[in-house]
Amino acid sequence: MQPGLGVGDLFRLALASGREDVRRQLIETVLESLDEAFEAIAQRVGGDAVPDTVIARTAVEPVLAAIAYSRVKGARRIRVIASSEPVEGWGPLNTLLEVLAAERIVDVYRVPLQPSTRLHVKEVVRRVARITRGFSARVVDVTDAPAYAVAGLYSAGVRVLTVLVDAGYAALFQKFSFTL
């Protein structure tokens, strides 16, 4: 635990470390005052594009950054594709998504993002593609997405992706596109 840190500092620390305990503390701090937290995070986020959708398995940072940045840019509500199956370290993300969905800040779509002996990678790709095609995602953040989820996005027609990059002083959404 990091005593006395504000939301912006906790956001940067969580982005740099990726530790579950720091993410949990960040979520606790964010949930105390959502609007103030989004303003503090927005001061530390920039980049090439505003994602309208985020795929997240455990990371809360891309979700928080996308919400904060989209509010600054006046974009609509963010969609989050999250794992429907348990993934190690997903507790803070699930806590955040429950509250944000209840507040109608995000739309959460649950799909299995972890292949197993009973769920083939091909099926994960198909499910990600089907759900993404259903709401016509244009710009998707794939910072915390597995490679096969990215393949599902491509087959759904998504051609612009972003990755949240820690630039030291800020977090930046860097855009890249599929071109053939």
Side-chain angles (χ1 to χ4, degrees), residues 101-157:
E103 294 286 329
R104 303 187 50 80
I105 295 172
V106 297
D107 294 323
V108 180
Y109 299 88
R110 297 281 183 173
V111 295
L113 294 176
Q114 188 69 33
S116 64
T117 55
R118 62 180 179 82
L119 183 67
H120 194 273
V121 171
K122 184 177 172 182
E123 181 63 18
V124 174
V125 170
R126 190 184 68 73
R127 288 183 186 186
V128 169
R130 187 178 63 200
I131 202 159
T132 305
R133 208 176 289 121
F135 55 70
S136 301
R138 282 176 272 201
V139 180
V140 180
D141 182 79
V142 295
T143 304
D144 193 34
Y148 39 84
V150 176
L153 294 172
Y154 182 81
S155 67

Side-chain angles (χ1 to χ4, degrees), residues 52-129:
D52 58 30
T53 306
V54 176
I55 295 183
R57 290 177 39 179
T58 59
V60 299
E61 303 86 2
V63 175
L64 291 171
I67 294 167
Y69 197 45
S70 70
R71 285 184 169 206
V72 168
K73 297 292 186 179
R76 62 179 186 218
R77 188 168 29 195
I78 298 294
R79 294 176 292 253
V80 179
I81 299 173
S83 181
S84 61
E85 305 291 323
V87 178
E88 186 178 338
W90 76 332
L93 177 65
N94 281 335
T95 302
L96 177 68
L97 293 180
E98 287 174 14
V99 172
L100 295 180
E103 294 286 329
R104 303 187 50 80
I105 295 172
V106 297
D107 294 323
V108 180
Y109 299 88
R110 297 281 183 173
V111 295
L113 294 176
Q114 188 69 33
S116 64
T117 55
R118 62 180 179 82
L119 183 67
H120 194 273
V121 171
K122 184 177 172 182
E123 181 63 18
V124 174
V125 170
R126 190 184 68 73
R127 288 183 186 186
V128 169

Side-chain angles (χ1 to χ4, degrees), residues 167-179:
Y169 56 90
L172 303 173
F173 283 110
Q174 291 186 350
K175 177 176 73 169
F176 61 100
S177 302
F178 289 113
T179 53

Side-chain angles (χ1 to χ4, degrees), residues 22-66:
V22 176
R23 287 178 174 160
R24 189 169 309 282
Q25 185 179 5
L26 171 63
I27 296 310
E28 290 171 1
T29 307
V30 165
L31 296 180
E32 290 174 7
S33 175
L34 290 173
D35 290 331
E36 290 176 16
F38 292 140
E39 287 178 27
I41 293 170
Q43 294 174 359
R44 290 171 159 62
V45 177
D48 300 335
V50 180
D52 58 30
T53 306
V54 176
I55 295 183
R57 290 177 39 179
T58 59
V60 299
E61 303 86 2
V63 175
L64 291 171

